Amino acid sequence: MLILITPPDFIEEEAKIVNRLFKVGVDRLHIRKPMADESDVAHYISQIDSVWYQQISIHYHYNMARHFHLGGVHFKSKDIGQEEKKNYYRYLISASCHTLEEVEACKMQCDYLFLSPIFDSISKQGYESRFTTENLTEASKNGIIDNKVIALGGINKQNAHLVQTIGFGGVAILGACWGCDTIEQMEQCIRELKKQKL
């Protein structure tokens, strides 16, 4: 599975870019706009072709899942199981984890999880990986990492194959795509990752 996470701030023609990237191979989009207000997020979603709505998960602005009939909602690991979050459990549930212990604690309550940062982050300067190939491989052997765990952080076309080898269920990208200079380069980034059968 290839998941694209939006940049935290809106960029010019972002919804148009999203529509094009879905067409070339993005499996799911995670809309993460922590500083935006709900009306701006609603306007943004309304510009995305509704054919993709079931392939979209929303962070923070959970009412948008109901309003637009989106496919999923995404929580922080510490929020999984909170009573008010259970209202959203009819959606595809995902969560962010930063340790293998968090993965073990949350996995049963989620459809899939992000584990990050697997490599040094592209989009967050100074956000460095805390994992080694060896401890990730061991976690896979022990059943902690499996097809419900999505690798996030520093993923690009050069290292995505390693993620597959370890046993992750897919990758989530941000900087590798949104750091490109043109829409065409973004499309090429997605195509090259999809060639690796993510």
Side-chain angles (χ1 to χ4, degrees), residues 17 20 25 31 42 44 46 49 53 62 65 70 80-81 84 88 100-101 115 131 141 153 160 167 175 178 182 190:
I17 294 169
R20 287 179 60 167
I31 297 176
Y44 170 63
S46 72
D49 191 327
Y53 283 0
Y62 302 125
L70 304 181
I80 290 293
E84 66 269 22
Y88 297 98
L100 294 169
E101 291 75 19
L115 179 62
F131 303 103
K141 287 178 182 175
W178 297 105
T182 66
I190 300 300

Side-chain angles (χ1 to χ4, degrees), residues 126-138:
Y127 190 44
E128 298 178 350
S129 174
R130 304 172 203 164
F131 303 103
T132 66
T133 301
E134 290 74 20
N135 63 25
L136 292 172
T137 300
E138 185 67 21

Side-chain angles (χ1 to χ4, degrees), residues 30-77:
H30 273 240
I31 297 176
R32 182 182 176 277
K33 302 291 185 185
M35 304 306 291
D37 63 40
E38 201 163 89
S39 62
D40 288 336
V41 174
H43 177 68
Y44 170 63
I45 296 171
S46 72
Q47 297 175 78
I48 298 173
D49 191 327
S50 61
V51 71
W52 308 119
Y53 283 0
Q54 281 298 300
Q55 292 168 250
I56 293 176
S57 290
I58 188 80
H59 297 224
Y60 302 106
H61 304 88
Y62 302 125
N63 286 337
M64 297 295 98
R66 290 195 185 101
H67 185 76
F68 288 97
H69 305 289
L70 304 181
V73 293
H74 184 89
F75 301 126
K76 295 178 181 177
S77 63

Side-chain angles (χ1 to χ4, degrees), residues 118-120 122 151-157 159-160 163 171-173 176 193:
I118 300 304
F119 305 107
D120 294 350
I122 298 169
L152 169 63
I155 308 291
N156 57 37
K157 63 184 180 182
N159 60 30
V163 167
V171 300
I173 62 168
L193 286 166

Side-chain angles (χ1 to χ4, degrees), residues 75-91:
F75 301 126
K76 295 178 181 177
S77 63
K78 66 181 178 65
D79 294 334
I80 290 293
Q82 289 185 356
E83 195 60 38
E84 66 269 22
K85 301 295 190 295
K86 292 180 180 177
N87 295 327
Y88 297 98
Y89 277 24
R90 61 194 169 99
Y91 299 95

Side-chain angles (χ1 to χ4, degrees), residues 83-125:
E83 195 60 38
E84 66 269 22
K85 301 295 190 295
K86 292 180 180 177
N87 295 327
Y88 297 98
Y89 277 24
R90 61 194 169 99
Y91 299 95
L92 203 64
I93 300 294
S94 58
S96 296
C97 297
H98 304 289
T99 67
L100 294 169
E101 291 75 19
E102 285 181 319
V103 171
E104 289 186 280
C106 295
K107 193 191 289 186
M108 293 300 293
Q109 299 176 76
C110 296
D111 295 289
Y112 62 92
L113 301 163
F114 291 160
L115 179 62
S116 71
I118 300 304
F119 305 107
D120 294 350
S121 176
I122 298 169
S123 60
K124 295 180 182 178
Q125 293 301 312

